[in-house]
Amino acid sequence: MREKFRELVKKKNKIFANLELIQWDLETKTPVKSKPYLSELVGELSMQEYNLFTSDEFVNLVESLNKEKNNLTEIEKKEVELSMEEIEKKKKIPADEYEAYAKLTSINQGIWEEAKAKNDFSIIKDGLEKIFNYNKKFAEYRRKDEKNLYDVLLNDYEKGMDTEKLDIFFSELKKEIVPFLKKIQEKKKSLKEEDKLNVPVDEDIQMKFAKYLAAYVGFDFEKGLVETSEHPFTLNLNKNDVRLTTNNKRNMPFSTVFSIIHEAGHGIYEQQTADNLIDTLLGSGGSMGLHESQSRFMENIVGRNKAFWKPLYKKAMEFYPFLKNIDFEEFIKQINKIEPELIRTEADELTYSLHIMLRYEIEKMIFAGEVSIDDLPKIWNQKMVEYLGIEPKNDAEGLMQDIHWYCGLVGYFPSYAIGNAYASQIYNTMKKDFDVDKALENQDLKKITDWLGEKIHKYGRLKDTPVIIKEVTGEDLNPKYYIEYLKEKYSKIYQI
């Protein structure tokens, strides 16, 4: 029975790997006219996975193993637990609707790219409306005792998370960060902040530097590779094949720098899952929030740290010669400059979670039936003005900037803000174990990745995120560390 379970799990993983390969191709190299065909393949493979997980054979096997869980290994127990949850989710969704949705999310990505390139929301509007309608319908099928329909999806990405907890979380961030941002904005009026980093650099050179940085922070190129895509992402076939993308912007070379360090954080997490989790259901990173904590930790706590750049600055000049004209201290201020941005992925540390709050509030409004898809461009722009004091000139830099909603990731965005908070909480603990700045100055990034590997990465999905955070930091999610980190760092930089 256990052997048969292992056989079916391996089969599921192979289907998933093929789906990931097609996804990789769709977002990197696929010819435009081939995308509809590959989208059909996605739908077909998704149905194979669906049919496997909802088949009588697999369901009966999981139920039988669940009855004998006292005789199972720790890994098998967790696999059975996750399988029971997945079976319950999938069996409540009609097969024809599941297949139609899988095809929709796949083909929508190409339509989104076209709509964004043409700055025409009308091209993708119907596709987006279908995405939200399917998600509402699927959440309704699966709803148990959730007070809010939206909570069903929030729990998918962050187990135990709901609107009640997130409202408190974002309220705390808003209360502390918005006034602090205003203080900085007032101080900035008396400062002359010249933009010295947005200098044109050839995309090929940016890619070379991106690969150098990914390896520098610990990404293993014997187990991975880097390509370009419209929206940067990380995917894994298993720990020995992890793929990153970045988007090289000619006039914004440091966008590539922080994009690749961010994605390398995700990639290192995947590469450092334990070997005994290969060919199980646990051989990938945990919740979205925990995953995001690793990328944001690497991008901001490491990548924007003065100690990180001290031994690296001369090397950076080899790729970006314009840095020779920028004093090191000025460079550190430049990469940590607070300036509200229209684009989430370009946002500074302080304002980043305000971008997430905007998306969270819009998702809540859609699920509450308070707005229509037609209203979204206007609401988006209003909230940008309210929280960040800036307004998009068009929908490409507004509502259409992220791919997430258009490919079905609804309820996902809050994980980014939670990830920021987890990252600061983890950093607070790490500093008690060793001098992080000294490790960075000594170019000993391995000390940091080994610590993360031992405390977090090796467990994959074996332990739930709340358990890992409690074990590592001694307490549950606590935004105070995030707020303290931001205030301490930027009070020094802006001397307030």
Side-chain angles (χ1 to χ4, degrees):
M1 185 162 61
R2 291 160 82 173
E3 290 76 13
K4 187 63 181 177
F5 176 73
R6 182 62 46 226
E7 178 189 324
L8 292 177
V9 164
K10 284 184 180 181
K11 188 174 180 181
K12 178 191 183 298
N13 285 345
K14 285 175 182 175
I15 295 171
F16 175 78
N18 277 294
L19 278 166
E20 291 287 85
L21 282 171
I22 294 174
Q23 192 64 41
W24 173 261
D25 216 50
L26 274 167
E27 296 200 42
T28 56
K29 298 293 185 184
T30 301
V32 173
K33 290 191 175 179
S34 173
K35 288 187 176 184
Y37 175 67
L38 286 191
S39 297
E40 282 187 32
L41 288 182
V42 168
E44 189 170 322
L45 284 168
S46 296
M47 281 314 297
Q48 286 183 24
E49 186 183 33
Y50 175 92
N51 290 334
L52 188 155
F53 244 61
T54 56
S55 67
D56 290 340
E57 180 184 28
F58 189 76
V59 172
N60 292 336
L61 197 56
V62 170
E63 287 175 349
S64 297
L65 287 169
N66 191 49
K67 289 173 185 173
E68 298 181 13
K69 57 186 173 188
N70 291 336
N71 299 321
L72 302 180
T73 66
E74 185 183 15
I75 288 173
E76 289 169 336
K77 282 180 187 175
K78 190 64 180 179
E79 285 185 292
V80 168
E81 177 192 321
L82 293 177
S83 295
M84 296 281 282
E85 291 174 5
E86 191 69 18
I87 288 166
E88 187 178 8
K89 283 181 194 176
K90 282 190 164 72
K91 290 205 84 171
K92 287 182 177 178
I93 299 171
D96 60 336
E97 291 183 18
Y98 185 87
E99 182 175 18
Y101 181 68
K103 288 178 180 176
L104 172 68
T105 56
S106 180
I107 203 161
N108 251 13
Q109 294 178 44
I111 300 172
W112 165 77
E113 286 181 16
E114 180 190 356
K116 186 179 178 184
K118 293 180 178 177
N119 184 29
D120 187 352
F121 180 58
S122 68
I123 293 173
I124 189 65
K125 187 185 76 172
D126 288 346
L128 182 60
E129 187 163 24
K130 288 175 183 175
I131 290 283
F132 276 109
N133 286 341
Y134 267 117
N135 273 278
K136 283 182 182 179
K137 190 191 292 187
F138 292 171
E140 200 65 72
Y141 289 152
R142 296 169 45 211
R143 193 176 195 168
K144 293 178 185 174
D145 53 0
E146 288 88 355
K147 297 177 192 173
N148 191 315
L149 187 62
Y150 181 42
D151 291 344
V152 177
L153 301 181
L154 291 174
N155 187 68
D156 283 346
Y157 296 108
E158 208 63 35
K159 190 174 280 191
M161 195 55 65
D162 57 31
T163 47
E164 191 175 336
K165 291 174 185 173
L166 281 174
D167 284 346
I168 295 169
F169 176 78
F170 281 115
S171 173
E172 190 67 22
L173 294 186
K174 191 189 295 188
K175 184 178 77 175
E176 296 287 343
I177 290 174
V178 173
F180 185 61
L181 174 60
K182 286 179 180 174
K183 279 186 183 179
I184 289 177
Q185 293 294 74
E186 281 300 312
K187 182 66 184 281
K188 278 165 63 72
K189 289 178 183 178
S190 62
L191 300 174
K192 285 187 178 179
E193 284 193 314
E194 198 179 336
D195 187 351
K196 297 181 179 180
L197 300 184
N198 288 341
V199 176
V201 175
D202 184 83
E203 286 93 334
D204 289 340
I205 293 172
Q206 290 189 38
M207 180 56 96
K208 286 177 184 175
F209 192 29
K211 289 178 179 177
Y212 176 86
L213 286 169
Y216 184 86
V217 298
F219 185 73
D220 184 351
F221 277 96
E222 290 189 353
K223 300 178 181 178
L225 54 89
V226 175
E227 257 294 352
T228 58
S229 66
E230 175 63 24
H231 195 102
F233 67 95
T234 299
L235 61 73
N236 72 311
L237 308 189
N238 61 38
K239 69 173 289 180
N240 294 315
D241 189 341
V242 180
R243 304 179 181 208
L244 319 178
T245 70
T246 185
N247 184 351
N248 302 318
K249 298 177 180 176
R250 181 172 174 77
N251 296 320
M252 298 174 65
F254 273 87
S255 172
T256 298
V257 166
F258 293 109
S259 168
I260 198 63
I261 296 174
H262 177 101
E263 297 304 331
H266 283 304
I268 292 164
Y269 187 176
E270 295 290 348
Q271 289 180 340
Q272 293 201 140
T273 54
D275 288 342
N276 65 348
L277 299 182
I278 293 177
D279 286 335
T280 73
L281 296 174
L282 315 179
S284 63
S287 73
M288 293 299 104
L290 188 59
H291 227 306
E292 198 58 26
S293 77
Q294 301 308 287
S295 58
R296 299 296 283 178
F297 182 97
M298 201 58 73
E299 175 190 354
N300 291 323
I301 293 172
V302 169
R304 295 183 196 273
N305 193 317
K306 183 178 180 179
F308 174 76
W309 286 101
K310 270 186 182 178
L312 193 57
Y313 198 51
K314 282 187 179 179
K315 186 68 178 178
M317 292 176 188
E318 294 177 18
F319 294 94
Y320 294 176
F322 70 88
L323 292 176
K324 293 173 185 176
N325 301 318
I326 303 174
D327 174 75
F328 180 68
E329 293 297 330
E330 175 61 22
F331 168 75
I332 296 302
K333 287 180 182 177
Q334 288 276 317
I335 63 171
N336 287 292
K337 187 166 62 173
I338 299 301
E339 191 69 60
E341 292 275 358
L342 292 168
I343 307 300
R344 173 187 63 84
T345 53
E346 307 296 341
D348 57 66
E349 282 186 282
L350 192 65
T351 59
Y352 186 89
S353 288
L354 301 182
H355 285 262
I356 302 306
M357 187 163 62
L358 176 154
R359 289 154 174 79
Y360 167 65
E361 290 178 356
I362 288 176
E363 286 186 341
K364 273 206 310 178
M365 292 167 78
I366 290 170
F367 270 75
E370 296 170 0
V371 295
S372 72
I373 300 300
D374 288 322
D375 299 326
L376 294 191
K378 182 181 176 183
I379 290 169
W380 182 286
N381 291 358
Q382 287 173 342
K383 287 186 177 291
M384 284 295 291
V385 173
E386 180 185 352
Y387 296 144
L388 294 162
I390 50 178
E391 184 173 5
K393 293 188 289 291
N394 54 60
D395 292 333
E397 61 184 22
L399 179 66
M400 293 193 294
Q401 65 178 261
D402 291 313
I403 194 173
H404 301 60
W405 285 342
Y406 304 93
C407 69
L409 294 175
V410 179
Y412 178 98
F413 276 116
S415 300
Y416 285 120
I418 293 167
N420 280 329
Y422 281 150
S424 298
Q425 196 166 331
I426 290 164
Y427 179 47
N428 181 68
T429 301
M430 184 186 286
K431 288 190 295 183
K432 295 173 185 175
D433 286 359
F434 63 91
D435 188 331
V436 177
D437 283 358
K438 188 175 180 182
L440 291 172
E441 286 188 27
N442 291 340
Q443 299 184 290
D444 190 5
L445 273 292
K446 193 172 185 299
K447 191 163 192 175
I448 293 169
T449 54
D450 282 354
W451 190 95
L452 293 170
E454 182 61 29
K455 303 277 186 180
I456 298 169
H457 299 169
K458 73 177 185 182
Y459 294 110
R461 299 178 71 200
L462 182 60
K463 294 183 179 183
D464 291 337
T465 294
V467 173
I468 287 178
I469 292 298
K470 188 71 176 281
E471 288 180 355
V472 172
T473 71
E475 56 186 305
D476 297 323
L477 171 64
N478 188 341
K480 83 169 188 175
Y481 297 104
Y482 179 40
I483 293 164
E484 286 174 358
Y485 162 77
L486 290 172
K487 284 189 166 183
E488 181 183 349
K489 177 176 179 177
Y490 289 99
S491 292
K492 284 180 183 175
I493 289 173
Y494 283 95
Q495 298 180 345
I496 58 174

